[in-house]
Amino acid sequence: MDWLPTFDVIRLGHRVDRDKRMTSHLGLTARALGADGMVIFGDHDPSIVQTLTEVSGRFGGKFNARFGTNPMGYLKKFKQGGEDCPAGTVIHLTMYGESHLEALPKVRRDRPVALVVGGAKVPGELFGIADYNVSVGNQPHSEVAALAITMSEWFKSVALESRFSNPEIKVLPSKSGKSIFDRKKEPL
Ligand code: SAM
């Protein structure tokens, strides 16, 4: 398959006073583990988009972070698809769902995916809109942990580092100390 379907993270219920770090960490984790973008619903907070855009500028690749309105409407449209975009699959991360190890192998890989994480209480309607309600264990924990474990399982065979094109700086794996290429100092 030469066309790689998009994978976006959907952050619900962002609260500007309580969730700044959590939502930023969701975006950073989503980007680092292979997502194409994140759509944030809730309080409008442009500083988060700015942070994620700056990180992509420095460390490479394209990550489309943006705010949206009407999350349930967005997800319904995403599932339906349209002229330019094929119908997508909605995966909702929730401690009440079926195990990610059982659910993920059933998800089609030839369609765009929207991976939804909650913040404050999620609308009950979401459970019906989602194609899959998926848990990472059935204990309450963190949206960042649930996202990371799910994405690690989904992208396990994809060479992620090659996606971060045109970086200003690139960190190279090293057994000791820091190994960093800086484009301004020497070409990559
Ligand atoms: N207090 C909120 C509520 O009543 O819905 C839940 C907050 S929880 C910290 C935030 C999000 O983390 C959830 O909406 C879900 O996406 C994710 N999450 C937490 N535990 C999870 C689990 N065991 N499996 C999958 N996702 C989980």
Side-chain angles (χ1 to χ4, degrees):
M1 192 169 64
D2 52 359
W3 171 74
L4 195 60
T6 55
F7 187 104
D8 282 315
V9 170
I10 311 298
R11 187 344 171 221
L12 301 183
H14 174 73
R15 296 160 296 186
V16 77
D17 51 338
R18 292 183 56 176
D19 295 327
K20 197 180 264 300
R21 275 173 67 80
M22 189 66 99
T23 302
S24 297
H25 286 189
L26 275 170
L28 291 170
T29 305
R31 175 187 167 275
L33 297 188
D36 298 282
M38 175 165 75
V39 191
I40 308 164
F41 293 91
D43 296 344
H44 194 67
D45 187 354
S47 65
I48 291 174
V49 171
Q50 197 183 334
T51 302
L52 294 168
T53 307
E54 280 168 12
V55 169
S56 288
R58 290 191 76 209
F59 290 90
K62 289 190 178 121
F63 186 76
N64 183 11
R66 67 264 192 207
F67 276 84
T69 52
N70 184 8
M72 297 307 115
Y74 175 92
L75 291 171
K76 285 178 193 165
K77 267 196 196 149
F78 177 83
K79 277 183 73 165
Q80 257 175 13
E83 260 177 39
D84 304 331
C85 47
T89 303
V90 174
I91 304 174
H92 168 214
L93 284 178
T94 166
M95 63 185 274
Y96 304 102
E98 62 174 321
S99 161
H100 69 295
L101 295 174
E102 280 170 29
L104 292 180
K106 295 187 272 187
V107 180
R108 289 178 63 152
R109 284 185 175 265
D110 60 348
R111 287 186 173 194
V113 169
L115 182 67
V116 185
V117 297
K121 200 169 166 49
V122 300
E125 188 188 2
L126 176 59
F127 286 83
I129 293 173
D131 296 289
Y132 299 91
N133 291 292
V134 171
S135 66
V136 178
N138 297 105
Q139 302 295 320
H141 50 81
S142 148
E143 48 269 54
V144 179
L147 176 88
I149 289 170
T150 303
M151 289 189 65
S152 168
E153 191 65 25
W154 179 257
F155 283 108
K156 58 186 169 192
S157 59
V158 177
L160 291 178
E161 282 305 319
S162 63
R163 295 167 67 118
F164 301 107
S165 56
N166 203 23
E168 278 176 20
I169 60 170
K170 185 171 169 64
V171 177
L172 303 172
S174 166
K175 280 191 184 168
S176 61
K178 297 180 184 174
S179 177
I180 301 171
F181 268 116
D182 185 334
R183 201 174 54 191
K184 284 184 203 130
K185 293 184 187 151
E186 54 187 312
L188 281 173

